[in-house]
Amino acid sequence: MTMRIQRLRVSSTAWQLVGRQNIQSLLVALLVTGCWLLCSTACDASADPFLDGQMKVIEDKLNIWDKRSLLIACLTYAVAALGIVMAALQAAKSQWIKGGTAALAVVSALIVSFTHQFFPADDRAYQKAAKRARGKLTTFRLELAQFHDLDEATKANLYQKFGRLIGDVDEIENSTIYNAISTANVSAAAQPSLGVSLLSTAWAGQNLAMLPGWTNQLPADDRNLYFLGTGDGSTLEDAHQNSLVKARSAVSDAVLRAAKGSASLTNKSQLVAELAKALAESAEIAETFAAPQPSLGYRAYTLLRLSKSAAVFTAQSIFVRTGVPYDNHFLDTVQSDLK
């Protein structure tokens, strides 16, 4: 009896030692895993946390496109499967089978209507858009990863480049998913304007000069802001350059007007000037048009397109670099209607 008790005590002690060793091993494993995760996060982080956050926003957007592509593909396959089942049940004479076939037809019609109503494109368009945008984002991420320390000039250059990336992603979404033709292109191709478009009674031997519609009325859409500049010059190149300067000045003037409506920017003239310059430079040329004028040289028109999301990012990046808190009123004005 005494021997049995001693054996039980030895066994209990052994199990306790094994249990302690297991707990210690588990704690060590958890500690190693936590350190590995922290190291992985630190390795993934770039030299600029602000850009990391902005890239995460775009990556989340692309993930949504991927999920929508998968959902639409599944719904398409479901409609095809329902069609096959209904075709197989056509020969059935049972009333309940016929009723089930009718119900399947209703479900199929509802799926098709749902897909058409809530998704502006098919799964391939979403997949294509996500692939193109992710390629641009990956290229930028690889470039950013080369820098371990960012001076102000490099940071400003990267911010400007990322602003263009945002505009590119918006353009990919607009053209690939929403399948929208640029409003400026539509205006230029299909909306010639006479009357106010008449620059002179004769240009290059013509009695009337036809100008694209965007020279008379600026395009409008939900994603972009448009600005027009008109310039004259003795040469065609000078006219184009003068019209571009005028168009960028129009952007700067709009930013200055928006800043006047913000109380926190009233006494920050240097910051406002930097905002105006950055937003004007970030606008891209959408359309140009020029025509000769007898004895006056040339007159040119330049239409600038400024992506709203890219404009907001550019303004945010300047607030971050200068250490000034976001002016939400100003950012909302840029996002909604900067005129």
Side-chain angles (χ1 to χ4, degrees):
M1 185 69 178
T2 303
M3 292 294 295
R4 289 182 179 178
I5 294 174
Q6 291 177 350
R7 289 177 181 177
L8 289 173
R9 288 177 178 176
V10 170
S11 300
S12 176
T13 303
W15 279 110
Q16 289 177 358
L17 290 174
V18 172
R20 289 176 182 175
Q21 291 177 351
N22 289 336
I23 292 173
Q24 291 176 351
S25 300
L26 179 60
L27 291 175
V28 170
L30 291 174
L31 181 61
V32 171
T33 302
C35 292
W36 179 79
L37 290 174
L38 290 175
C39 291
S40 299
T41 304
C43 292
D44 290 338
S46 72
D48 193 299
F50 174 66
L51 285 177
D52 288 338
Q54 296 296 322
M55 287 190 292
K56 180 65 167 58
V57 171
I58 294 184
E59 189 63 46
D60 290 342
K61 185 175 185 178
L62 302 187
N63 289 336
I64 291 175
W65 292 356
D66 287 331
K67 291 177 182 178
R68 289 181 179 178
S69 174
L70 179 60
L71 175 59
I72 295 172
C74 291
L75 292 175
T76 303
Y77 291 137
V79 171
L82 289 174
I84 294 173
V85 172
M86 287 185 292
L89 295 178
Q90 288 297 321
K93 297 181 179 180
S94 174
Q95 291 297 323
W96 70 271
I97 292 181
K98 290 183 178 181
T101 303
L104 292 178
V106 172
V107 172
S108 179
L110 289 175
I111 292 176
V112 172
S113 300
F114 173 82
T115 304
H116 178 74
Q117 182 69 27
F118 292 99
F119 299 104
D122 60 16
D123 59 306
R124 292 171 297 181
Y126 277 102
Q127 191 175 25
K128 180 181 178 181
K131 183 178 180 181
R132 288 179 58 194
R134 189 169 280 114
K136 290 181 177 292
L137 181 62
T138 300
T139 300
F140 180 84
R141 181 178 280 117
L142 290 174
E143 181 178 359
L144 179 61
Q146 307 303 313
F147 300 93
H148 301 290
D149 295 309
L150 297 177
D151 55 31
E152 288 302 319
T154 305
K155 185 180 293 187
N157 180 271
L158 289 172
Y159 283 179
Q160 187 177 23
K161 183 172 290 188
F162 192 78
R164 291 196 297 268
L165 171 63
I166 293 177
D168 291 341
V169 173
D170 285 345
E171 185 63 25
I172 290 172
E173 181 180 17
N174 197 36
S175 61
T176 306
I177 294 179
Y178 292 95
N179 197 26
I181 302 174
S182 172
T183 310
N185 291 333
V186 173
S187 299
Q191 298 180 12
S193 175
L194 301 177
V196 293
S197 301
L198 193 59
L199 295 183
S200 146
T201 57
W203 280 1
Q206 297 181 4
N207 291 327
L208 291 177
M210 295 183 63
L211 297 181
W214 52 264
T215 62
N216 181 34
Q217 182 176 0
L218 291 178
D221 60 58
D222 295 333
R223 300 174 181 274
N224 300 287
L225 302 165
Y226 294 92
F227 301 88
L228 177 66
T230 305
D232 298 329
S234 57
T235 66
L236 188 61
E237 182 179 355
D238 288 342
H240 276 303
Q241 184 61 32
N242 291 335
S243 66
L244 177 59
V245 171
K246 291 289 185 63
R248 296 205 185 281
S249 296
V251 181
S252 299
D253 292 341
V255 174
L256 294 176
R257 286 193 295 271
K260 288 182 180 179
S262 175
S264 64
L265 295 178
T266 302
N267 298 322
K268 296 182 176 64
S269 58
Q270 185 176 353
L271 175 62
V272 172
E274 188 173 353
L275 287 167
K277 180 182 178 182
L279 290 175
E281 291 178 349
S282 65
E284 61 179 0
I285 298 175
E287 296 286 345
T288 60
F289 185 86
Q293 299 184 86
S295 71
L296 297 176
Y298 299 85
R299 173 162 292 181
Y301 297 82
T302 297
L303 180 70
L304 293 182
R305 178 175 58 237
L306 179 60
S307 167
K308 292 182 180 180
S309 55
V312 170
F313 165 78
T314 301
Q316 288 176 336
S317 67
I318 293 175
F319 284 124
V320 170
R321 285 198 296 109
T322 56
V324 177
Y326 286 171
D327 187 310
N328 292 324
H329 177 76
F330 175 79
L331 294 176
D332 291 341
T333 302
V334 172
Q335 179 68 40
S336 59
D337 193 14
L338 183 66
K339 290 183 178 180

